[in-house]
Amino acid sequence: MAGTDNGTTGTNRGQGRPIVIVGASLGGAKAAEALREAGYRGGIVLIGEEHERPYERPPLSKGYLQGKTSREKIYVHPPQWYGEQDVTLRLGTAVTSIDPAGHTVTLADDGRIEYDKLLLTTGSVPRRLPVPGADQDGVLYLRRVEDSDRIRAALRPGARIAVVGAGWIGLEVAAAAREAGAEVTVLEALELPLLRVLGREVAQVFADLHRAHGVDLRFGVKVAELTGDRGTVTGVRLGDGTTVAADAVVVGIGISPATGLAEAAGLEVDNGIKTDRQLRTSDPDVFAAGDAANAYHPLFDRHIRVEHWANAVNQPRTAARAMLGQPDAVYDRVPYFFTDQYDLGAEYVGYVEPDGYDRVVFRGDPAAREFIAFWLSGGRVRAGMNVNVWDVTDPIRELVRSGRVVDTKALADPDVPLGEL
C-alpha cells in the first residue's frame, strides 16, 4: 500500500485492515489527522484522484486567485507530515468501485484495498453549462488548483471576463477580476445575486457592492450559447439575442455532490450521501463527510448538506471518532461560512432556507456595508451574517443554537450586547 506520487509512504503501525479514506481533500486529510490525534495506531490509506497533496479550496477563489496567497500556503499539511504520521497517501489514483460486503475498494489499475472502516470525502463537482459552445477553450470552471491557475492567467488588465452565475464563486471571481483590472460582466438568471442563499434584503447589499466596483450586473437573463472563433470562446449570446463579448467565460452555476461511488455501492443517496448524526451511512462501516454528505443534524432535526469549508474541517473529526467507536461522536456544529470581496468581509452562522424565515433584522448600516443581519422565524434567530463587524460569531452562534425568542428591538440595537439577548 505504499505507492504514492509525492514520496510519502505508510507502513501500517497496527495489524489488520486499515481505515481507508476516499478523497484526498481537506476533509480527507483532516480525518487522517483526527484519527492519529485520537490515538488510532492502525493503518490509514488516503486516496485521491488529483496529483496534488490535500489542499484547502477557499483560497482558490480568494487569496490564491488574487496572487496574495502563495501555493505552499494552501496545503493542509507539509509533504513530510504523511510519512511522519504513517499515512499512506495514494495520489493520482481513482477509486472505481466499493464493495461494502467484501470491505474492499477497487482502483482504476484493478488493484484492491481492503478496509476496516471506510470514509467518503469525495466532495463535489461543478455543474456544467448546458448550452452550445460550452466546450470551447476559454470556458473556465473553478474547483481545483489548476482551475484557479487558468482563471488567474485570464484576469489581465483590460480583459473582458463574463461570469455566468452570481453565487459565491461567481462573485468572488468577479471581485478578483476587477481588482486585476479586467472588465467584468456577471450574468444571473435570478433578480439578484445570492438570492436563494440570502434573500432579497441582504442580496441587494452584494449587488450594490459589485456595481460600486464597476461590475456590469445583468439579472433575469438566460444564456443561450457561447460564441467562438476556431474553438476559442468570444462571447455569450443571451436569450434575447444580445451578445456579451468575452475573452474568457467563468461558469459558476453551482456544484453537485460526488455520489457516484456511493450510489453504485448501494448506499442511500438523496441530495448527497445520507448519514446519521455520527456521519455513518446506510452501511455501518462506511462514513461520509464534507460536500458529499447529507447528514442528519440534531439541532435542525433534519438532514442538511452544506457546501462550505467549515464542514470539511469539522465533520471529519466527528467521523474519525465515530469510526473508532466513540458513542458521543455526534456532529451538531452550527454551519459557518465566510466570504471576502473587495473591502467587504463577511461571516455567516446558521442555516435557513429561502422559505424558512419571516423577517430580517439589521443591526448597523447595510448601506455602509457595516452591519449584522439576522434571519428570524417566529422570533427565533435562524442565522446571522456579520459584514465588516468582527468578533461576534460566537454570540450569533449561541443565539442560533439556543432557539429562544428574542426581543427584535434589542437585537437591532448596537448598544445591547448580543450576549445579553
Side-chain angles (χ1 to χ4, degrees):
M1 288 184 207
T4 67
D5 285 347
N6 69 353
T8 57
T9 62
T11 57
N12 291 355
R13 302 175 184 182
Q15 300 299 314
R17 296 177 298 192
I19 290 177
V20 173
I21 304 167
V22 178
S25 55
L26 169 62
K30 283 297 183 182
E33 178 184 299
L35 285 166
R36 291 297 184 227
E37 288 179 349
Y40 174 69
R41 305 291 291 177
I44 300 173
V45 182
L46 178 55
I47 307 170
E49 290 188 26
E50 294 187 59
H51 291 278
E52 298 283 346
R53 71 183 189 271
Y55 57 88
E56 302 200 28
R57 298 193 192 274
L60 305 188
S61 62
K62 300 179 177 72
Y64 182 76
L65 181 62
Q66 297 165 351
K68 299 175 182 178
T69 300
S70 70
R71 192 183 190 94
E72 193 57 34
K73 292 286 187 182
I74 72 174
Y75 294 107
V76 184
H77 300 115
Q80 67 272 18
W81 182 90
Y82 299 92
E84 292 169 352
Q85 295 297 316
D86 203 17
V87 174
T88 299
L89 183 59
R90 298 285 298 268
L91 298 177
T93 302
V95 173
T96 56
S97 66
I98 300 166
D99 177 7
H103 278 66
T104 61
V105 297
T106 301
L107 310 180
D109 62 5
D110 291 329
R112 285 178 173 79
I113 301 176
E114 293 187 333
Y115 65 83
D116 177 41
K117 305 291 183 186
L118 177 66
L119 175 63
L120 301 177
T121 55
T122 48
S124 54
V125 293
R127 294 192 184 115
R128 298 286 162 171
L129 190 63
V131 300
D135 58 349
Q136 300 178 95
D137 291 340
V139 180
L140 306 172
Y141 295 81
L142 180 55
R143 184 61 184 168
R144 297 183 173 186
V145 64
E146 59 263 29
D147 299 330
S148 187
D149 290 336
R150 282 191 284 267
I151 293 172
R152 181 163 56 172
L155 305 187
R156 305 180 305 274
R160 299 165 300 176
I161 306 297
V163 178
V164 180
W168 294 117
I169 292 295
L171 293 187
E172 289 176 359
V173 169
R178 286 298 296 140
E179 292 187 338
E183 299 299 319
V184 180
T185 302
V186 172
L187 306 168
E188 169 58 45
L190 300 179
E191 302 168 52
L192 287 168
L194 301 164
L195 189 58
R196 291 194 182 100
V197 179
L198 302 179
R200 184 173 303 279
E201 299 88 347
V202 182
Q204 187 64 54
V205 172
F206 286 87
D208 294 343
L209 169 71
H210 281 268
R211 284 201 176 99
H213 284 85
V215 175
D216 180 2
L217 296 175
R218 303 194 189 183
F219 297 122
V221 299
K222 178 182 178 181
V223 174
E225 179 187 4
L226 301 187
T227 60
D229 180 21
R230 288 172 288 186
T232 299
V233 74
T234 58
V236 183
R237 181 168 294 129
L238 303 179
D240 63 3
T242 61
T243 297
V244 176
D247 300 305
V249 176
V250 181
V251 180
I253 56 174
I255 57 179
S256 300
T259 60
L261 282 172
E263 192 166 7
L267 302 178
E268 187 176 0
V269 171
D270 180 12
N271 183 32
I273 306 167
K274 289 193 75 172
T275 78
D276 63 13
R277 66 183 65 199
Q278 290 197 302
L279 302 173
R280 181 181 285 105
T281 71
S282 53
D283 183 284
D285 291 330
V286 182
F287 296 73
D291 284 1
N294 187 8
Y296 178 79
H297 199 296
L299 181 63
F300 302 105
D301 190 27
R302 56 167 297 178
H303 283 80
I304 65 172
R305 189 173 66 82
V306 179
E307 302 167 347
H308 294 294
W309 168 87
N311 261 25
V313 170
N314 297 308
Q315 278 190 343
R317 296 187 179 280
T318 297
R321 293 174 56 223
M323 286 190 290
L324 297 181
Q326 298 180 18
D328 62 339
V330 172
Y331 192 76
D332 63 355
R333 293 180 68 97
V334 177
Y336 166 91
F337 66 82
F338 67 97
T339 188
D340 295 307
Q341 300 171 36
Y342 310 109
D343 56 353
L344 181 150
E347 299 172 290
Y348 179 105
V349 180
Y351 180 81
V352 64
E353 294 188 313
D355 58 353
Y357 69 97
D358 51 40
R359 184 175 182 183
V360 176
V361 172
F362 287 98
R363 170 182 287 223
D365 185 1
R369 294 194 280 276
E370 190 170 319
F371 64 91
I372 307 173
F374 300 94
W375 288 262
L376 285 81
S377 176
R380 295 173 172 83
V381 176
R382 303 304 186 188
M385 171 181 271
N386 49 297
V387 175
N388 290 337
V389 176
W390 306 110
D391 301 321
V392 293
T393 55
D394 285 345
I396 294 173
R397 183 179 293 111
E398 198 281 327
L399 281 173
V400 173
R401 183 171 289 280
S402 73
R404 62 178 175 267
V405 175
V406 298
D407 180 340
T408 55
K409 184 176 180 181
L411 187 66
D413 187 348
D415 293 328
V416 178
L418 292 174
E420 295 182 5
L421 293 171

